[in-house]
Structures are given as C-alpha cells and as structure tokens.
Amino acid sequence: MTDFIPFIKALILGIVEGLTEFLPISSTGHLIIVGDLLDQVLGGGGAEQDKVFKIVIQLGAILAVCWFYRARLIRVARGIRTRPTERRFAFNIIIAFLPAMVAGVLFHDVIKTYLFSPLTVAGALIIGGFVILYIEHQPPRRRVRHIDDLSTAIAFKVGLAQTLALFPGVSRAGATIMGGVVFGLSRQVATELSFFLAIPTMLAATAYDVFQARDLLTSDAIPLFAVGFIAAFISAALTIKTLLHYVANHDFVIFAWYRIGFGVLVLFTALTGLITW
C-alpha cells in the first residue's frame, strides 16, 4: 500500500490543480492546503521534488486550455501577419501578460519564501471572497461583449489586476475575471480573456520554476508526474467547458462564499489545534 501512496497523492493533487486553476478560488492556495493536509494524513512530503511536481502538473492545465481553444490559437498563428483582428488579439494578450511577468521576476523569491503557507492562503481566500461579493453587487458596466473588441488599455488594466494573484490565495483566474468585470467586460469575455491570458502566464511561470529546480528532475519521478499531469489535463478540460456554460447565466457569488467558507475552516482548524498547518 505504501508504494501506492505517492500515486494517490499525485492523482488527488492533479485533480485539484485542474479543477481550481480556472475558477476564481486559487489553485495555488488549494495545492498548498491540500498538499499539506495529504502530507499529514498519508505521510511523506517535505521533499524538494514535491515542489517540482506541483509545478509540472500545471502544464496539464495549460495544455487543456490550448486544446479547448486550439481552433482560435491556430487561426491567430496563421493570420497574425495578415489579419488585423488576429494581430490585435495577440498584441492584447502580450500586453496583459507583461505586468505579471515583470512583477513575478522581481518578487518571485520573496513570495515563495514568505507567503506560501496555509494560513496566509486562508486570509487571502477570505479577503478575496469579500472583494468578489462587493464587485458582484455593483451596477454592471458591460461595454465589451466580444473578446475581439477588447482595447489595449483594458487589456493592460486586466494585466495589472493579474499581478495581485502573485499573492497565494488571491487566484489568478479570480483577479483577471473580476478585474475584467470591473473594467467593463461581460463575464463571458472576462472569463475567456482569463483563459487565454493563462497560457503565456502559466507557461512562463512553469518554465521559470522548472529551470530553477532543474537539478531535482529525475527519471524515476516521471510516472508520478504523468499521473498528476493527466489528472490535471482531464479535470481542467472539464472545468473550462463547465465554467463557460455557467457564466452565461450566473454570477460568481457562489465562488465568493466558497472562498470565505474554506478560508474560515482552515483558520478554525488552526486556532483550535485540530490541524497543525
């Protein structure tokens, strides 16, 4: 049974990554909390290779987005030189990506060292939940109803909002989607933009982390990585399709209350000593 425990953890964490990466509930926060809890319940953990695993499984979620939007991505690649619409789309994604790239390089080590803990995540989950509730209760400011109508100025503003997600527990999807709503995007357009923006953002972050931890990549870890990768890909693909259908007719209040409830639960278990985070 002991031999299967790493694979069980890999499967669970892969599913968690895929389910939470594109929802406004923070995949990084959930991986930190669930990973810490699994280490206490199933044993193990603490190894540097665990950090590499959590990085690698993000690739599964990234590829799920690429697969889901493969037709648009191919169209952009083919038409970027000849079609103004595709060229502007690609330019806006790059502009939106730049703030997080710069901030990530500047503050990466500080964030990894001091903020990656279940309690800081719980606090960010709760605060972010109340922010979503506040935004959802404001009068709608929908000016952009198609992603091709997105202006460069709004793309840059959404990119600035994404930098908030460098704090674990804030949620990259939450920052970009709610930022988009605040800046006049419909929920559908804000969600689509969040998906497309995830591609360069997550690829860059993953590549940077993998490069820094390249000495920890070993061939004997490939089976574990494969389990987590496949689980993340499948669960992310299902989440993307479900979320797009959901936002067509619903707001994000349910995610706000989930964040608040989950964050309070983590703090409660810590304060009462039920779990030593």
Side-chain angles (χ1 to χ4, degrees):
M1 177 64 181
T2 305
D3 294 338
F4 288 100
I5 287 179
F7 289 94
I8 294 173
K9 292 170 65 176
L11 177 63
I12 293 173
L13 290 175
I15 293 173
V16 169
E17 163 63 23
L19 289 178
T20 59
E21 182 61 54
F22 303 108
L23 298 178
I25 58 176
S26 178
S27 63
T28 300
H30 278 73
L31 286 177
I32 292 172
I33 292 173
V34 175
D36 192 77
L37 188 59
L38 287 175
D39 290 343
Q40 296 188 49
V41 174
L42 299 179
E48 288 295 311
Q49 201 171 60
D50 284 357
K51 298 178 182 178
V52 182
F53 169 80
K54 292 176 182 177
I55 296 166
V56 171
I57 61 173
Q58 289 183 350
L59 286 172
I62 298 170
L63 289 182
V65 176
C66 294
W67 175 255
F68 191 86
Y69 285 109
R70 61 191 182 279
R72 181 62 195 267
L73 294 176
I74 292 172
R75 193 162 71 244
V76 171
R78 290 177 175 174
I80 194 168
R81 292 185 178 182
T82 58
R83 300 184 61 189
T85 299
E86 307 304 343
R87 187 162 51 245
R88 186 174 67 175
F89 173 85
F91 181 72
N92 283 339
I93 296 299
I94 293 172
I95 289 297
F97 161 67
L98 288 177
M101 182 191 72
V102 174
V105 171
L106 292 177
F107 302 110
H108 176 274
D109 292 338
V110 173
I111 292 168
K112 291 281 187 179
T113 302
Y114 298 107
L115 299 180
F116 270 53
S117 75
L119 296 184
T120 57
V121 167
L125 285 171
I126 294 171
I127 294 172
F130 281 112
V131 170
I132 292 175
L133 287 178
Y134 174 79
I135 292 173
E136 286 290 11
H137 282 84
Q138 300 307 301
R141 300 172 55 193
R142 300 176 186 174
R143 297 186 298 272
V144 181
R145 296 185 176 275
H146 195 283
I147 197 165
D148 288 333
D149 297 328
L150 181 69
S151 70
T152 300
I154 293 180
F156 182 70
K157 290 177 183 178
V158 173
L160 290 176
Q162 182 177 230
T163 62
L164 298 174
L166 292 172
F167 194 107
V170 169
S171 169
R172 188 204 61 79
T176 52
I177 293 174
M178 301 317 298
V181 170
V182 168
F183 298 130
L185 306 184
S186 68
R187 290 190 183 89
Q188 293 92 326
V189 173
T191 303
E192 276 193 271
L193 177 60
S194 177
F195 289 152
F196 284 116
L197 187 52
I199 298 173
T201 303
M202 293 170 63
L203 279 176
T206 301
Y208 184 76
D209 284 335
V210 168
F211 176 78
Q212 286 200 321
R214 61 192 181 281
D215 295 336
L216 301 174
L217 294 170
T218 58
S219 58
D220 60 337
I222 291 178
L224 282 177
F225 289 171
V227 170
F229 181 93
I230 293 171
F233 178 89
I234 295 174
S235 55
L238 294 174
T239 301
I240 293 168
K241 185 175 182 179
T242 303
L243 183 60
L244 284 173
H245 178 73
Y246 178 87
V247 298
N249 302 294
H250 301 83
D251 56 27
F252 291 100
V253 169
I254 187 173
F255 298 113
W257 286 115
Y258 169 80
R259 291 176 62 106
I260 294 169
F262 189 37
V264 168
L265 179 62
V266 172
L267 292 181
F268 175 78
T269 57
L271 293 173
T272 57
L274 292 175
I275 300 177
T276 304
W277 296 103

